[in-house]
Amino acid sequence: MKKASTLKRLSIGLGAAALTVCLASFAFAAEKTVKIGNVEPLSGPSASVGIQGKQAREMAVEEINAAGGIKSLGGAKLELVYADSKSDPTVGVTETERLINTEKVHIMTGCWNSAVTYPATQVAERYGVPFVVPVAVRDTITERGFKYVFRIAAKDSWWVRDQFRFLKDMQEEFKTGFKTIAFIFENGDWGTGFAEKWRTLAKEAGLQIVLDEPYPSTASDLTPVVTKMKTANPDIVLLVSNAADAILLTNTMAELKVKPKVVLASGGGHADPKFLENVGKSALGMFDEVEWNTDVNKPNAKEANAKFKAKNGYDLAGESVDAYVATYVIADALERAASTDPKKVRDALAATNLTTGPGMLVSYDGVLFDENGQNKNAGIVIVQVAEMNGKLDRVTVWPKAARRAGYTPVFPMK
Amino acid sequence: MAYLEIENVNVSYGDVQVVNDLSLTVNEGEVVSIIGGNGAGKTTLLKTISGLLTASSGTIKFKGEEIQNRPPEVIVERGLVHVPEGRRLFSLMTVADNLDIGAYNTRAYGQRNHTILGVYDLFPRLAERREQLAMTLSGGEQQMVAIGRGMMALPGLLMLDEPSLGLAPILVLSIFETLRKIADMGTTVLLVEQDVNHSLRLSDRGYVLEHGRVALEGPAKELMDNPHIKEAYLGM
Amino acid sequence: MSALYQSLVNGTMMGAMYGLTALGLTLIFGVMKVVNFAHGSLLMVGMFAAYWLLKITGMHPFLALLIVPPLLFVFGYYLQDLVIKPVFKSERGVREPLTVIIVTTGVWYVLDNLALMLFGAEYRTVRTAISGTSFSMGEVIVSWPKFAGFVVSMLTAVGLWLFMLKTRTGKALRATSMDREAANLMGIDQYKIYNVAFGLGTAIAGVAGCVIIPFYYVYPSVGVVFDIRAFIIVVLGGLGSIPGAILGGVVIGIIESTFAQFMTSTWTEAIIYGIFLLILFFKPSGFFGNKQDW
């Protein structure tokens, strides 16, 4: 009888120990991943950009996980969860809710389209989930006094401000003066936002606005718009376009032989890798304003770009660069927070001052958020499409300090 | 062997039985009339024979071959042609095109340019109006086109559903004269008519349909002398 | 003034192509009395077929016209035969079968999503021998791809018109559109004719695809962009009318192009929809349609 009760006690003891180990490892395992929710346009007019953003995030997460994950969380790995916004604000909002409530993500990122990002970030603020916006330029996204929303890229008023600074600097450098300006822009949130600010700055610069033309991104024919451009005959044309309409517009301008003295685009569609591929020489001389260019002089910029290009077939561009940076910013914040508690993560994000590391391939000094969650240092560059060594390339021309060595911009374009 | 043999056919529209256990024969070369009031099932019967409707039971044999529930295009190909009630011309096509399409089936198609000459002989007025749109013709002319279109299919058996409906008396006579000519040419004719007088006069035999059944049958002359028929259909 | 001439020329060319996209739709409605909601998707299939052919072989787009439409005819023929016909059969006797319309909507979703899965959501363009080129006609610059599209559209419409007027199958199609039952009594196999009509409508969508891809872009839901115009044009021109489709198309094209000189595209869209509503209100049968179809 004694032996049986000892055996009994032993087996109970072992069972309890086993159970404890199981439960402990379960709890441990629960801490093993940090889920990041991403609302991106994976179909619709901005799908191409959404997919690039996805690929950039995946590359960053793979690197971070391979380097040991978040060490302060016991090597926890980052896990990405995606939702397709279809560039539709309503869908973006419901998907953000779903990612937060059903998928229980710890952090959110997204959404490229300003119209989607604006309400989606509101949802995150309401639930107290940190939301890092790589690129979505509408000013008001970081002007609401929100605590949980952070943006890596510059605001669109800065984009517009820099466009006019560029025009001014170039006119001075090349001793030319222009009188007339035209605005051609996609009629969504992004385009109309830019146009509003263009109008003010153009007046301040003493330019006469000869054409102010919104158009639908999905238009099947842009000949009417280009015909108006031809009639108005502006010196400078400012553009805001998505990928497919950027191609259509450039081709139509070539067809109708419309050649303004300066054509300055605002990134987006014009920065899309497919753009140059599809318009070829018709884009020669065009200026574009972008987050980042492949010739930025920063460590890891070339390596990261080469790696991305080898994997996906095209260079890094605005969204993909900022998505890559955002992922590293998140990893850095998680390291400092040593927790997935939303408030702690938020505080860590707010205190970010990231100037080194593989994520810092941007043209400016580092990521530093102001009290509204806006990255104070964010900046842009202006590039020109030129033929270099027989191939079409985008060459950084402004700010002058960032200009690619040995290149003289062609200003005006002809 | 009867040319057309219908045995114990039943046809329903949904839950409503319209043709009840009906049997009927037509011999080659005959002119047979089917008479009866509205709702007796005459049109339903013709549509079932020509394949527009399906019989729930029974057999229909044409030249010895079973054709019940086969599609209309197969039945037309065999030589059984249905000139439907209400003419049903292709209103935006010309007279010539309407006749032309009548010869669509492969048996008749090759000969259509020859056949149409015969139709114009039968209906000289149509020759005059050949390029006119069918919808611009008068009622009598439209009926001519309908019959002519039927002839274009080179029928062995021609079935006509109320060809005299809505026509003025003088035109009615003309139609029946034409039917006589067609029968004399060797075409077997099955005629459904409300004009009992003219149709029985034209026919060899007749059937009287009531509530989807054969109520009376026999040689046309006998039917014309039948008191019930005289009272119900001839208004005597 | 030259801007106005430019707009007229451009509008006429685009309009003819809009008419082309409406042609298949009006044919299918005329013969089968069915609104084919999958029409935009068939256009998308035509555009993708042209895209892949041109991208892989680099052949001249005119050559693609010899390959894509026949391919699409077969596709449409069997799509009707295998997928849509069974639904028709179950609605035998009904003049305007509603369930068929629902099936075509199903085909629309399936095709669009299949394309999304196979090809992804991105916009694709292909540079052809004629893309981006143009010639001058006085003050007006005429885009080559659009001019070619205009010519092909007109030729297709005329060709279709002659086919319907003169050939055995064409007459059978017309007869079926006017009185299906009577046509059946002529020996016209109703379901085979539907297959032909659907195949033909799809082949025409294939022509449209070849004509549009040199200057526009393709993606899985591109059908919707053109489909809306196509429906408006079909109503404007009259359901089932071939000349109506082309005329309606040109009218829409010219309105879109010329009005844009005086207002923004948002307004021209609104005006086009406004005209659509007016037509429905005052003359629902359109330019050349039959009153009976309403």
Side-chain angles (χ1 to χ4, degrees):
Chain A
M1 291 315 280
K2 260 202 200 149
K3 265 193 191 160
S5 68
T6 319
L7 202 55
K8 211 176 175 183
R9 267 195 226 137
L10 200 56
S11 41
I12 290 175
L14 276 174
L19 200 58
T20 318
V21 172
C22 281
L23 284 173
S25 57
F26 198 87
F28 218 74
E31 277 288 73
K32 278 280 174 190
T33 50
V34 179
K35 273 174 138 180
I36 304 176
N38 307 279
V39 171
E40 284 283 279
L42 297 172
S43 66
S46 304
S48 153
V49 180
I51 291 168
Q52 288 170 53
K54 181 165 184 274
Q55 291 165 335
R57 287 170 174 81
E58 278 165 4
M59 191 167 103
V61 161
E62 195 194 295
E63 288 167 6
I64 294 168
N65 286 347
I70 308 296
K71 299 177 188 66
S72 70
L73 287 174
K77 304 262 186 264
L78 296 179
E79 184 192 319
L80 296 165
V81 184
Y82 290 97
D84 182 6
S85 69
K86 305 193 208 301
S87 295
D88 180 335
T90 326
V91 177
V93 167
T94 47
E95 287 297 87
T96 308
E97 297 233 3
R98 183 179 68 83
L99 286 173
I100 291 176
N101 291 320
T102 312
E103 292 288 336
K104 305 238 184 283
V105 298
H106 298 102
I107 300 171
M108 285 290 309
T109 79
C111 317
W112 173 254
N113 304 105
S114 292
V116 177
T117 314
Y118 189 79
T121 45
Q122 211 162 354
V123 172
E125 178 76 9
R126 191 159 31 98
Y127 283 101
V129 174
F131 198 124
V132 178
V133 177
V135 184
V137 295
R138 191 165 148 191
D139 286 351
T140 45
I141 290 174
T142 46
E143 283 171 4
R144 295 172 284 182
F146 282 2
K147 292 281 160 230
Y148 283 81
V149 177
F150 300 90
R151 171 165 51 191
I152 309 282
K155 295 175 168 183
D156 69 15
S157 52
W158 298 357
W159 283 66
V160 174
R161 175 201 66 194
D162 284 355
Q163 280 177 323
F164 277 84
R165 278 191 188 158
F166 158 78
L167 287 172
K168 179 161 176 285
D169 285 354
M170 295 300 266
Q171 282 176 75
E172 272 171 23
E173 185 181 337
F174 290 87
K175 308 211 179 357
T176 50
F178 294 129
K179 300 214 180 53
T180 55
I181 191 165
F183 308 140
I184 316 277
F185 52 99
E186 62 97 31
N187 62 4
D189 248 26
W190 178 35
T192 44
F194 265 61
E196 255 173 52
K197 301 181 184 49
W198 281 342
R199 283 175 206 124
T200 321
L201 288 181
K203 286 204 187 82
E204 283 172 18
L207 290 165
Q208 187 202 356
I209 304 169
V210 293
L211 184 58
D212 192 341
E213 184 76 9
Y215 71 89
S217 231
T218 50
S220 48
D221 180 35
L222 290 171
T223 314
V225 170
V226 176
T227 311
K228 276 168 119 165
M229 215 195 284
K230 195 165 187 182
T231 314
N233 196 20
D235 292 326
I236 305 172
V237 171
L238 294 183
L239 300 173
V240 174
S241 301
N242 287 307
D245 38 304
I247 296 170
L248 195 56
L249 193 57
T250 309
N251 282 337
T252 313
M253 282 171 68
E255 247 172 49
L256 293 179
K257 305 205 192 346
V258 175
K259 292 202 181 90
K261 303 208 175 81
V262 176
V263 175
L264 175 56
S266 314
H270 289 93
D272 192 296
K274 287 236 164 29
F275 173 68
L276 270 191
E277 203 184 289
N278 277 288
V279 300
K281 296 234 174 85
S282 303
L284 265 181
M286 270 184 72
F287 292 98
D288 192 16
E289 181 184 29
V290 279
E291 258 289 320
W292 185 88
N293 197 30
T294 51
D295 55 10
V296 157
N297 196 6
K298 272 296 172 76
N300 197 38
K302 280 210 167 48
E303 287 80 24
N305 190 44
K307 185 176 172 192
F308 187 82
K309 190 165 186 173
K311 234 185 187 181
N312 300 301
Y314 37 71
D315 290 316
L316 285 166
E319 157 78 4
S320 40
V321 167
D322 278 343
Y324 187 76
V325 173
T327 317
Y328 272 97
V329 166
I330 290 173
D332 171 70
L334 283 168
E335 278 292 358
R336 286 180 286 112
S339 153
T340 53
D341 171 64
K343 180 113 203 342
K344 293 211 173 93
V345 174
R346 181 226 96 84
D347 288 341
L349 278 169
T352 302
N353 188 355
L354 192 59
T355 54
T356 55
M360 285 298 107
L361 32 73
V362 288
S363 63
Y364 48 85
D365 288 329
V367 176
L368 186 64
F369 295 117
D370 68 12
E371 64 277 2
N372 277 311
Q374 174 64 47
N375 176 12
K376 290 197 271 207
N377 293 338
I380 52 90
V381 292
I382 308 267
V383 300
Q384 185 172 38
V385 176
E387 196 161 357
M388 309 288 278
N389 306 322
K391 269 181 33 172
L392 284 177
D393 195 10
R394 292 155 62 86
V395 184
T396 308
V397 297
W398 187 92
K400 201 151 175 208
R403 187 178 299 175
R404 191 189 294 192
Y407 179 75
T408 315
V410 179
F411 191 94
M413 275 159 57
K414 286 182 269 61
Chain B
M1 175 189 72
Y3 206 45
L4 177 69
E5 192 160 340
I6 300 171
E7 271 176 1
N8 306 110
V9 159
N10 286 288
V11 186
S12 311
Y13 273 126
D15 292 330
V16 182
Q17 179 108 8
V18 183
V19 172
N20 283 300
D21 199 34
L22 191 144
S23 298
L24 178 159
T25 55
V26 179
N27 297 307
E28 196 165 357
E30 280 190 310
V31 177
V32 173
S33 284
I34 300 179
I35 59 183
N38 282 325
K42 315 189 297 294
T43 300
T44 308
L45 179 63
L46 286 197
K47 281 183 159 181
T48 310
I49 299 171
S50 65
L52 290 175
L53 295 172
T54 48
S56 47
S57 65
T59 57
I60 303 175
K61 287 194 204 147
F62 181 61
K63 295 195 269 193
E65 181 191 350
E66 278 190 26
I67 57 165
Q68 75 273 1
N69 301 337
R70 302 205 71 187
E73 56 269 14
V74 169
I75 294 171
V76 168
E77 199 71 43
R78 298 283 180 274
L80 206 170
V81 177
H82 178 181
V83 177
E85 187 185 5
R87 288 144 224 160
R88 309 284 289 273
L89 297 185
F90 303 117
S91 43
L92 296 171
M93 288 168 84
T94 60
V95 168
D97 272 344
N98 266 279
L99 294 176
D100 192 69
I101 199 91
Y104 182 85
N105 74 78
T106 48
R107 208 174 27 91
Y109 194 69
Q111 302 176 51
R112 67 192 191 287
N113 292 323
H114 176 75
T115 317
I116 203 170
L117 297 174
V119 171
Y120 285 142
D121 265 347
L122 205 54
F123 300 113
R125 257 240 282 247
L126 294 187
E128 287 163 41
R129 304 214 185 306
R130 70 181 87 189
E131 291 307 320
Q132 257 182 260
L133 287 185
M135 58 189 255
T136 60
L137 297 179
S138 69
E141 288 161 347
Q142 289 195 9
Q143 192 58 45
M144 291 181 210
V145 175
I147 298 175
R149 193 175 63 175
M151 294 305 292
M152 290 294 294
L154 295 182
L157 172 59
L158 185 68
M159 301 192 301
L160 301 108
D161 197 344
E162 311 230 20
S164 71
L165 193 62
L167 296 181
I170 194 165
L171 291 169
V172 172
L173 270 175
S174 160
I175 292 290
F176 279 100
E177 271 165 26
T178 310
L179 290 178
R180 181 76 263 161
K181 284 189 205 158
I182 290 173
D184 289 341
M185 290 189 321
T187 311
T188 309
V189 175
L190 179 59
L191 186 58
V192 158
E193 256 301 337
Q194 287 225 349
D195 186 333
V196 175
N197 193 1
H198 281 109
S199 64
L200 284 179
R201 287 232 196 111
L202 182 63
S203 308
D204 299 307
R205 288 187 305 115
Y207 289 86
V208 179
L209 250 57
E210 276 167 21
H211 305 302
R213 290 169 204 285
V214 173
L216 275 175
E217 60 179 285
K221 286 211 177 50
E222 272 180 35
L223 290 176
M224 280 203 295
D225 287 333
N226 182 301
H228 174 66
I229 301 240
K230 275 178 153 175
E231 193 189 311
Y233 298 104
L234 294 172
M236 294 169 180
Chain C
M1 253 339 248
S2 81
L4 199 60
Y5 294 144
Q6 180 72 53
S7 312
L8 277 170
V9 168
N10 191 63
T12 309
M13 297 192 300
M14 283 306 292
M17 287 187 276
Y18 290 147
L20 183 65
T21 63
L23 215 51
L25 191 62
T26 209
L27 179 68
I28 289 175
F29 183 84
V31 175
M32 297 163 64
K33 303 289 178 263
V34 159
V35 178
N36 177 21
F37 279 106
H39 183 73
S41 305
L42 296 174
L43 189 63
M44 178 268 293
V45 171
M47 285 176 75
F48 262 114
Y51 169 80
W52 284 119
L53 189 63
L54 294 175
K55 194 145 178 100
I56 293 175
T57 65
M59 71 168 68
H60 197 278
F62 292 166
L63 281 181
L65 280 171
L66 295 174
I67 300 178
V68 174
L71 228 79
L72 254 71
F73 177 84
V74 173
F75 179 73
Y77 188 97
Y78 284 105
L79 185 65
Q80 162 66 22
D81 195 49
L82 300 170
V83 177
I84 305 176
K85 180 170 76 176
V87 183
F88 260 115
K89 283 197 159 163
S90 73
E91 291 243 356
R92 212 177 144 177
V94 179
R95 190 174 186 250
E96 270 148 21
L98 208 60
T99 44
V100 176
I101 296 179
I102 296 173
V103 169
T104 63
T105 311
V107 171
W108 164 21
Y109 287 148
V110 169
L111 285 178
D112 275 16
N113 281 300
L114 214 64
L116 188 62
M117 283 194 314
L118 289 172
F119 305 130
E122 9 146 358
Y123 285 32
R124 296 162 187 267
T125 58
V126 58
R127 278 198 87 87
T128 67
I130 53 177
S131 299
T133 57
S134 57
F135 62 91
S136 300
M137 217 170 58
E139 292 180 321
V140 174
I141 298 185
V142 181
S143 145
W144 257 122
K146 293 191 184 139
F147 182 71
F150 170 77
V151 171
V152 169
S153 303
M154 295 310 240
L155 286 177
T156 307
V158 169
L160 187 67
W161 187 229
L162 287 174
F163 174 80
M164 298 294 269
L165 221 50
K166 305 259 181 228
T167 66
R168 180 171 181 240
T169 310
K171 289 185 198 184
L173 284 164
R174 286 168 62 214
T176 308
S177 75
M178 290 175 216
D179 190 329
R180 191 187 72 193
E181 241 185 21
N184 217 188
L185 289 178
M186 302 293 110
I188 297 169
D189 181 338
Q190 176 194 331
Y191 296 117
K192 200 129 162 262
I193 273 298
Y194 282 177
N195 290 354
V196 172
F198 208 88
L200 209 51
T202 310
I204 295 172
V207 175
C210 289
V211 141
I212 293 175
I213 206 73
F215 66 85
Y216 199 63
Y217 40 90
V218 64
Y219 55 101
S221 27
V222 71
V224 177
V225 172
F226 289 99
D227 216 19
I228 297 181
R229 286 249 184 297
F231 275 109
I232 295 179
I233 291 166
V234 166
V235 169
L236 186 58
L239 287 138
S241 164
I242 292 169
I246 294 293
L247 187 61
V250 171
V251 166
I252 296 286
I254 289 181
I255 289 176
E256 190 183 69
S257 200
T258 53
F259 281 36
Q261 296 308 302
F262 308 109
M263 57 190 77
T264 66
S265 318
T266 333
W267 272 108
T268 58
E269 292 285 298
I271 287 179
I272 288 173
Y273 289 129
I275 291 178
F276 179 54
L277 288 172
L278 282 174
I279 302 269
L280 281 179
F281 203 68
F282 290 112
K283 193 172 195 302
S285 51
F287 293 148
F288 303 120
N290 291 329
K291 289 244 175 53
Q292 64 184 122
D293 285 326
W294 285 92

